[in-house]
Amino acid sequence: MERRFNVAVAGATGAVGNMMVQVLEERNFPVNKLKLLASERSEGKALQFHGKSHRVEVLTPESFEDVDVALFSAGGSVSLEFAPAAADSGAVVVDNSSAFRMDPEIPLVVPEVNPHHIAAYKNRGIIANPNCSTIQMVVALKPIYDAAGIERIVVSTYQAVSGTGKRAIQELQDQSIAIFNMKEIKTDVYPYQIAFNCLPHIDVFLDNGYTKEEMKMVNETRKIFEDNTIRVTATTVRVPVFYGHSEAVNVETKKKISVEEVRTLLSKAPGVVVVDDPENIQYPLAIESAGRDETFVGRIREDESIEKGINLWVVADNIRKGAATNAVQIAEILVRDYF
Ligand code: NAP
Ligand code: 3JM
């Protein structure tokens, strides 16, 4: 009989956690017992899994006795506090927060790019899931990296509000309705109105003038490719889109690579769908990525301003491939190859 595993989802009532439960069900992850964990605010709530109602419990350090795999998406401070306790109880943690991503002992994994790094879960019992914007970019760049090497990446993002969580989804909805009804607009989650606006500000500002989200893209990309020589610069922007992050990616390669070669490589790459037919007005769209697990790539062009440059438009569902699906894919490899 197939082995089944006890799985915990910490942050199960959130935008990402909820999707983790859905993705575990969709992909038929071999779950024995499912444990749903959140804060006291969610006590008494229940979620459906394979047609059965599962009650949400309050997360405590004792929640992980008996748990084989713990998927965390309850924020960095919750991960810092509870993930080591979960690992000490014998669970392997797949953590969605930024808390452990740059720890040299902790693997940072995108299954299409560096699945072999999962083996290092043995160091601390924790595997980190990268930031949503990093995940979709490295999925699209992996074939180019392997074929031509990468010298430098210049990326600008157009990120959906769902990346901030369930309260931000509500805020965009409420502000949009208020505008159409000529009512006063309330801002709570974001510092400024997000409806019909763009905010060049994701996560906190750092001393170098970049945001933490921008530096996540720089540092995580280098760690995933195991290549600190890649130069990366990012501008991350919140846009009034519900689901699906879009990115304009400019990549300077080490060797010359043609647009045709890039298109051929990407059309064979795991997890990638090329949507690139300007004649028929076909290119990736955030609203079409929503609900899908693939990374969509289009607008593939030569950067005519430099010798060896390519421009891409890269789109994925930030809650699925950017978070929940990537975490469940990691867990699938973990239990298949290491348990
Ligand atoms: P969200 O919709 O606001 O949900 C937050 C979840 O965390 C809820 O289930 C909440 O429970 C729970 N939680 C908060 N504080 C807690 C506490 N003290 N103890 C136990 N549970 C607590 O946020 P989200 O969008 O799902 O994101 C959650 C986290 O996932 C983020 O903070 C981030 O670290 C990570 N994330 C990662 C990516 C990625 O790119 N990989 C993308 C998005 C998010 P209640 O409902 O009870 O409040
Ligand atoms: C995406 O610690 C927190 O409050 C969570 C902040 C957060 C993160 C993060 O830094 O873990 C919100 C949304 C992320 C992320 O994926 O990096």
Side-chain angles (χ1 to χ4, degrees):
M1 230 184 67
E2 187 195 24
R3 246 184 96 194
R4 303 190 86 78
F5 305 92
N6 295 342
V7 178
V9 178
T13 53
V16 175
N18 225 305
M19 186 60 78
M20 283 171 161
V21 175
Q22 196 179 312
V23 171
L24 286 168
E25 174 171 326
E26 282 172 18
R27 298 174 71 96
N28 234 328
F29 189 88
V31 176
N32 179 35
K33 270 195 291 187
L34 180 69
K35 198 159 193 177
L36 304 178
L37 304 165
S39 77
E40 301 82 35
R41 291 179 291 271
S42 298
E43 229 181 330
K45 281 192 193 160
L47 297 178
Q48 293 289 314
F49 181 65
H50 285 298
K52 280 207 199 111
S53 185
H54 286 65
R55 280 178 81 86
V56 178
E57 298 168 41
V58 178
L59 171 63
T60 72
E62 290 75 46
S63 299
F64 302 95
E65 285 159 18
D66 254 17
V67 170
D68 301 304
V69 179
L71 307 177
F72 268 70
S73 70
S77 55
V78 173
S79 293
L80 282 171
E81 190 179 347
F82 294 96
D88 286 345
S89 308
V92 177
V93 173
V94 182
D95 182 41
N96 253 281
S97 80
S98 57
F100 302 104
R101 287 181 192 146
M102 295 314 298
D103 185 322
E105 289 211 316
I106 292 181
L108 181 65
V109 176
V110 177
E112 291 86 343
V113 182
N114 62 338
H116 54 286
H117 289 176
I118 289 174
Y121 83 89
K122 287 180 179 136
N123 295 341
R124 299 266 294 278
I126 302 174
I127 302 167
N129 198 66
N131 179 258
C132 37
S133 298
T134 308
I135 293 175
Q136 66 183 67
M137 182 171 82
V138 298
V139 167
L141 292 183
K142 166 74 173 164
I144 298 174
Y145 183 85
D146 289 345
I150 292 179
E151 191 66 40
R152 179 168 185 247
I153 299 163
V154 181
V155 55
S156 298
T157 69
Y158 307 69
Q159 297 184 219
V161 295
S162 52
T164 316
K166 56 187 172 183
R167 285 172 55 239
I169 300 171
Q170 192 64 47
E171 183 151 303
L172 175 57
Q173 201 166 308
D174 291 346
Q175 288 182 357
S176 305
I177 292 168
I179 287 167
F180 283 118
N181 287 288
M182 287 182 282
K183 295 257 169 62
E184 184 203 345
I185 288 159
K186 297 198 184 77
T187 57
D188 171 24
V189 177
Y190 296 113
Y192 300 102
Q193 177 185 320
I194 183 63
F196 305 92
N197 203 6
C198 297
L199 309 179
H201 170 192
I202 300 184
D203 208 336
V204 295
F205 280 96
L206 303 173
D207 288 344
N208 65 358
Y210 284 79
T211 62
K212 197 174 161 200
E213 188 84 349
E214 289 162 348
M215 295 315 294
K216 288 172 193 169
M217 293 192 79
V218 173
N219 296 320
E220 294 175 16
T221 299
R222 291 175 170 169
K223 177 165 174 174
I224 294 163
F225 281 123
E226 285 182 286
D227 184 349
N228 282 327
T229 69
I230 306 179
R231 290 180 287 166
V232 187
T233 187
T235 303
T236 57
V237 182
R238 190 71 68 189
V239 297
V241 166
F242 285 104
Y243 294 96
H245 287 358
S246 304
E247 300 178 344
V249 182
N250 175 265
V251 47
E252 187 177 350
T253 53
K254 288 192 191 292
K255 284 196 319 199
K256 176 93 183 157
I257 187 166
S258 70
V259 164
E260 290 66 36
E261 281 174 271
V262 171
R263 192 174 285 118
T264 306
L265 287 171
L266 285 171
S267 54
K268 289 187 287 197
V272 174
V273 176
V274 174
V275 183
D276 192 22
D277 185 3
E279 251 176 63
N280 292 302
I281 322 194
Q282 295 294 311
Y283 37 74
L285 294 175
I287 57 169
E288 286 177 359
S289 76
R292 301 280 299 267
D293 288 318
E294 305 94 328
T295 296
F296 299 86
V297 185
R299 302 298 323 281
I300 306 169
R301 289 154 290 151
E302 182 167 342
D303 174 356
E304 296 177 342
S305 73
I306 53 175
E307 275 294 300
K308 292 170 274 186
I310 295 286
N311 280 309
L312 307 169
W313 179 248
V314 179
V315 179
D317 184 326
N318 54 298
I319 299 296
R320 293 183 69 99
K321 185 57 188 169
T325 302
N326 199 71
V328 173
Q329 286 175 317
I330 291 171
E332 286 171 350
I333 299 171
L334 179 74
V335 301
R336 186 193 67 204
D337 295 352
Y338 298 96
F339 277 17

